Amino acid sequence: MTNSIFLDTINGIKRERPPVWFMRQAGRVLPSYMKLRESHGFKHMMEEPKLAAEVTLLPIRDLGVDAAILFSDILVIPEALGMQLSFEGKGPTFKTALKDVEDPLNFLTDMPERLEHIYKAIDVILATKPSEIPLIGFCGGPLTTLCYMFQGFSQNLNFPDFVPAIYRDKATMKKLVTRITEMSIHYALKQVEHGVQAFQLFETHAGLIPNELYKEVFLPSVKAILGAVRAKGVKTIYLPKGLGLGLNMVNYDLCDCISVDWQTPLHEVRKIVGEDMIIQGNFDPRTLLADKNAIDQEFEYYLNYGRKDHKWIFNLGHGLLPNIPVENVKYLIEKVKTSDWGR
C-alpha cells in the first residue's frame, strides 16, 4: 500500500474509499484559474511551464482531489505534426484543415520539438506537487485527434466533412492514423520518461462512427499507444466516450482502466469488461448544475456501487462544465471522502 489512494486503486489494492479526481478539474470552474486567465491567454498558459504547472496543481489545493492531470490540450499532437493552431475566439481552429489540402499525408511534417515545453512543465510539477498526489499524463485518441485535424474547427461536433471522408478513402485515413499514432507514442513515452505516474487516452468522439468501423480503423492505434506506455510499467486509462455496446471490444489486453461516460450504469460496465479491469467515472457532470439534494440522490447509486466494487475510481462521465458552481464540486468531493463505504 502506498500513500496514494489513486495509485493503490488503479493497481487493484482495496482502500477505505474510492479515489476522486475530475477531468477538466484544472480550470474553468476554479476562481483561481479564472483569475490567472485575466492576465494570461490559454495557449500561453499551456506553453509556459511554470504557469502550466501552477494550473495543474490548482485543484489539489482548491478542491482536494486525489490526483493531478497535466494541464495541456489534445491538439498538441497536430501541432507536432506541423499544423498551425489558434485558440482565439470560441475554440481551437487550424489555419489549414486537412480537408482543404490535396495531399494531407505530405502536408504533415514531424516537429516533435514543439512538445518540449510540456516535458518541462512535467518536471516543474513533479518538483512542486505533494508527494501523495500522482500526476496523470494524457493525449487524445486517434479518432478524436483526426476529427479536429481534418475538419479544422471545433464548433460543429458532428464533423460533417470528416465522417464521409473515412468511408470515401479509408486507406488514406488509416495512413493518417498511423502518423498520429507514431507521434502520440513518442509523446506518451516522453511523458513517462519525465515521470507521469498514470496515462489517460481521451477518445472524446468514440461514438461518432459505428463500432465496427472504429474497431477497424482506430482501435489498433489505441492499443499501440497504450501498449507502449504499459510496457514501461505505467498504468493506462482509456476513455472512449459514446462507445456504448462497443465496450465489449475493451478488455484487460487493451488497458488497465476503462473510463466510462454516463450512458451505461457501472454495474453493466463491470459485466462487460470483466473483473480484472479498473473502472473510472460515470457520474454525470450536469448533475452538478442542479442543487445539493439532486447531487445527494445521484450519489446514492455510486455509494452503493463502491461498497461492492473496490476497483473503481470516482470521476465524471466527461469533463467539468464551465458554468458548474465550484461549491457543488467541493460538495461532491467531500461526500466521496467522508461517506461510509463499508470497506
Side-chain angles (χ1 to χ4, degrees):
M1 191 174 289
T2 70
N3 62 354
S4 167
I5 192 168
F6 172 86
L7 289 179
D8 278 350
T9 301
I10 204 169
N11 278 288
I13 298 169
K14 188 174 184 178
R15 290 290 300 259
E16 66 279 7
R17 64 169 175 87
V20 54
W21 73 279
F22 295 147
M23 290 169 274
R24 293 198 188 127
Q25 64 187 12
R28 303 215 279 189
V29 304
L30 297 180
S32 54
Y33 171 79
M34 298 311 295
K35 185 74 177 171
L36 280 173
R37 280 300 308 271
E38 290 175 9
S39 50
H40 302 287
F42 178 74
K43 204 166 190 300
H44 173 68
M45 291 173 77
M46 282 199 308
E47 292 178 346
E48 170 51 52
K50 287 184 180 178
L51 276 174
E54 183 179 352
V55 175
T56 298
L57 296 176
L58 284 179
I60 310 306
R61 183 193 70 200
D62 295 359
L63 301 176
V65 289
D66 295 313
I69 185 162
L70 180 64
F71 178 70
S72 187
D73 193 272
I74 65 169
L75 297 183
V76 296
I77 289 295
E79 284 194 293
L81 289 170
M83 295 184 73
Q84 290 183 274
L85 178 64
S86 167
F87 280 92
E88 296 169 7
K90 292 184 177 180
T93 306
F94 290 103
K95 182 179 179 181
T96 305
L98 294 186
K99 69 179 176 63
D100 300 320
V101 175
E102 190 171 331
D103 186 356
L105 282 165
N106 283 326
F107 176 73
L108 299 178
T109 305
D110 288 355
M111 303 176 73
E113 65 275 7
R114 287 186 170 184
L115 300 168
E116 287 296 323
H117 64 278
I118 300 168
Y119 315 135
K120 292 175 183 175
I122 292 171
D123 294 343
V124 178
I125 294 163
L126 293 180
T128 54
K129 74 174 183 64
S131 61
E132 74 279 7
I133 300 297
L135 175 63
I136 303 168
F138 76 92
C139 74
L143 168 64
T144 302
T145 304
L146 187 52
C147 280
Y148 291 106
M149 291 170 67
F150 194 87
Q151 195 68 47
F153 63 92
S154 65
Q155 282 76 29
N156 188 340
L157 296 183
N158 291 318
F159 301 98
D161 298 292
F162 172 63
V163 177
I166 303 175
Y167 289 106
R168 186 167 54 245
D169 190 355
K170 200 182 290 182
T172 296
M173 285 296 175
K174 286 182 177 180
K175 290 174 183 175
L176 288 170
V177 169
T178 297
R179 294 291 299 276
I180 291 168
T181 305
E182 290 168 351
M183 188 60 74
S184 297
I185 289 173
H186 167 83
Y187 179 46
L189 291 180
K190 290 290 283 187
Q191 290 184 51
V192 169
E193 182 184 314
H194 281 259
V196 300
Q197 292 148 290
F199 185 86
Q200 178 156 319
L201 189 112
F202 284 87
E203 192 70 284
T204 309
H205 299 295
L208 188 67
I209 59 175
N211 288 163
E212 287 304 308
L213 186 59
Y214 184 81
K215 182 178 182 180
E216 177 191 353
V217 180
F218 299 99
L219 200 61
S221 169
V222 172
K223 188 164 187 175
I225 297 166
L226 295 180
V229 174
R230 290 177 102 186
K232 297 295 183 180
V234 171
K235 295 295 183 180
T236 58
I237 308 167
Y238 174 43
L239 170 68
K241 186 175 181 290
L243 197 63
L245 291 175
L247 285 173
N248 62 17
M249 302 185 292
V250 179
N251 55 42
Y252 198 63
D253 289 337
L254 186 71
C255 58
D256 300 289
C257 174
I258 179 73
S259 192
V260 292
D261 52 37
W262 55 80
Q263 279 87 349
T264 310
L266 288 175
H267 62 276
E268 295 294 339
V269 175
R270 176 57 76 199
K271 290 178 190 174
I272 296 169
V273 302
E275 296 301 316
D276 292 332
M277 184 83 73
I278 307 299
I279 297 175
Q280 173 181 274
N282 192 237
F283 195 90
D284 188 342
R286 296 167 296 189
T287 308
L288 296 170
L289 292 167
D291 56 23
K292 290 183 172 62
N293 287 333
I295 295 170
D296 288 344
Q297 289 174 28
E298 286 300 306
F299 184 76
E300 276 304 304
Y301 169 79
Y302 295 91
L303 182 60
N304 290 328
Y305 180 83
R307 284 172 173 161
K308 298 167 189 167
D309 190 349
H310 71 272
K311 293 183 176 181
W312 168 59
I313 296 164
F314 193 100
N315 206 315
L316 306 174
H318 198 225
L320 286 168
L321 302 167
N323 49 345
I324 288 173
V326 69
E327 295 77 17
N328 285 357
V329 180
K330 291 178 179 178
Y331 180 75
L332 181 57
I333 292 168
E334 194 61 20
K335 283 189 76 71
V336 175
K337 288 187 162 185
T338 60
S339 294
D340 179 8
W341 294 91
R343 298 182 181 180

